[in-house]
Amino acid sequence: MQFLTDFADQAVVLPATLALMLTLMATDWRRGALCWGLVVTATLGLMLVLKLAAYVWPAAFAGWGLHSPSGHVAAAAILYGGLAALLLERRALALLIACGIALVIAMTRLLLRHHSLPEVAVGGLVGLAGVVVLLRLTPPAPRTVSRVALAMAVLSVAVLMHGERLHAEPAIRHTAERLVRLF
């Protein structure tokens, strides 16, 4: 399970996201690069805000079984599902792939006991919402854009960085503690 879940760690997701954005720019698809950058940033940013809020106001989230929404599930959905959205002309298939990826990573997070069902559900919903927004904002890639280059940009970074861990959760928790003291 750890092997699979490591593909959704921020140590993989952040460089793979950047590699895809640079590849989109190199292929001269500026709209794709702009949409990709904005949507992924918004998706991961929303997860950060939700995690901070859950730590800062635990009583407001505990009733829902939320202590820390799953960033791994959201990140996997937007990175790999978003890649499918950019690569495939059949948009419904891209959304189905995003759902499947989110489900696989959610199962790993549950089986590793890192998250509860509500926490992976929130991560999945946020990540899938990001994919839907990406699908709405971005037309299919022009024929001049190499789909192989896009896929290789993400997959090569994912394989290269696999097993590395960013350990973002302690930093998020520390930031939340500082926010509590500030307010």
Side-chain angles (χ1 to χ4, degrees), residues 38-128:
L38 290 174
V39 171
V40 172
T41 300
T43 302
L44 298 179
L46 177 57
M47 283 308 300
L48 177 60
V49 168
L50 288 172
K51 283 178 168 286
L52 285 170
Y55 284 129
V56 171
W57 299 290
F61 289 82
W64 296 88
L66 294 170
H67 302 286
S68 177
S70 179
H72 276 71
V73 177
I78 192 60
L79 174 62
Y80 303 109
L83 175 63
L86 294 176
L87 295 178
L88 302 173
E89 291 182 24
R90 294 178 57 196
R91 313 293 256 175
L93 180 57
L95 191 56
L96 186 62
I97 289 169
C99 288
I101 289 167
L103 184 61
V104 167
I105 298 301
M107 292 303 298
T108 68
R109 304 308 286 169
L110 290 170
L111 291 171
L112 290 169
R113 298 179 186 221
H114 290 301
H115 288 289
S116 65
L117 186 57
E119 291 169 342
V120 298
V122 168
L125 289 173
V126 170
L128 293 173

Side-chain angles (χ1 to χ4, degrees), residues 22-41:
L22 293 173
T23 304
L24 288 166
M25 291 169 62
T27 60
D28 209 29
W29 189 27
R30 288 187 178 92
R31 180 171 179 180
L34 178 64
C35 290
W36 174 257
L38 290 174
V39 171
V40 172
T41 300

